Amino acid sequence: MLPTTDKPVLTTDVSTAPSVKPRFDDIFMDLAVNLAKRSHCIKAQVGAVLTRDTRIISIGYNGPPAGTHNCDEEFPGVGCPRDSKGSCSLALHAEQNAILYAAKNGSEIEGSTIYVTLSPCIACARIIYSMKIARVVFLNSYAEYKGIPSDEGVDFLRRFGVTVERYVSSSGASVGADLPITQPTP
């Protein structure tokens, strides 16, 4: 007979299946999707998470520079003015916000991974490449959103050796399906 103690006994039932831990890709993309919901843009809400070695070094979402205005408040219903390509003329992209914040705070960016809810445009791709980000994981296609033939940013990054992957959920769930991404008005 075993002696009894007042201490609780921890047991592990090995007959049950172990709990499945989420992949970091799932965790970081889920965070990017939730960050996108912070955006004040009425056309597209985009989030980004910049990571290094399974640690978050910066986050961002699309919107005008801090301290300026919020598009949905200043331009309700129509959004802010558009540039010649139909993009917001006032906002920073989610990737830009995440990278700028990391650089401003002295984080080591080289060799990092960035998770974005919309594949990088060509301008963001140039910044990602210049900052020596090693891997990009995206949820939705910028080309599909813009109605253009190819993801120029993705093509550029791959051409110069950056690993770019379209995110696939390990659970098969439709992550980010509720993010507002509307076709830009001409």
Side-chain angles (χ1 to χ4, degrees):
M1 179 162 188
L2 295 173
T4 59
T5 65
D6 292 335
K7 293 181 182 178
V9 177
L10 298 176
T11 61
T12 304
D13 182 0
V14 293
S15 66
T16 61
S19 64
V20 176
K21 295 189 185 314
R23 299 176 309 155
F24 281 105
D25 282 358
D26 296 327
I27 292 167
F28 297 141
M29 189 57 76
D30 185 54
L31 178 55
V33 167
N34 280 303
L35 285 166
K37 295 173 186 175
R38 294 283 310 156
S39 172
H40 287 272
C41 182
I42 66 167
K43 299 284 184 179
Q45 294 179 328
V46 182
V49 178
L50 188 61
T51 68
R52 181 180 237 324
D53 302 326
T54 71
R55 301 287 184 217
I56 296 168
I57 57 175
S58 186
I59 59 174
Y61 52 88
N62 62 319
T68 58
H69 70 277
N70 289 322
C71 300
D72 59 345
E73 295 167 359
E74 191 167 328
F75 309 102
V78 295
C80 55
R82 301 279 149 195
D83 65 16
S84 61
K85 293 184 179 180
S87 296
C88 176
S89 62
L90 303 173
L92 294 169
H93 289 188
E95 306 95 317
Q96 294 169 339
N97 271 321
I99 293 166
L100 286 168
Y101 187 81
K104 177 181 170 184
N105 289 296
S107 296
E108 179 63 39
I109 299 171
E110 186 173 340
S112 63
T113 297
I114 191 163
Y115 296 83
V116 290
T117 58
L118 192 61
S119 62
C121 68
I122 189 68
C124 287
R126 289 189 292 257
I127 293 168
I128 288 166
Y129 177 76
S130 296
M131 296 303 292
K132 296 184 175 20
I133 293 172
R135 181 174 174 239
V136 176
V137 181
F138 70 92
L139 179 61
N140 297 308
S141 165
Y142 182 80
E144 291 168 10
Y145 163 63
K146 285 292 197 175
I148 57 178
S150 72
D151 274 306
E152 299 167 319
V154 170
D155 297 341
F156 173 89
L157 290 167
R158 286 181 176 150
R159 178 177 179 203
F160 292 105
V162 177
T163 301
V164 182
E165 306 163 20
R166 189 160 193 168
Y167 172 76
V168 177
S169 170
S170 62
S171 67
S174 181
V175 175
D178 61 340
L179 283 180
I181 299 179
T182 59
Q183 289 295 62
T185 53

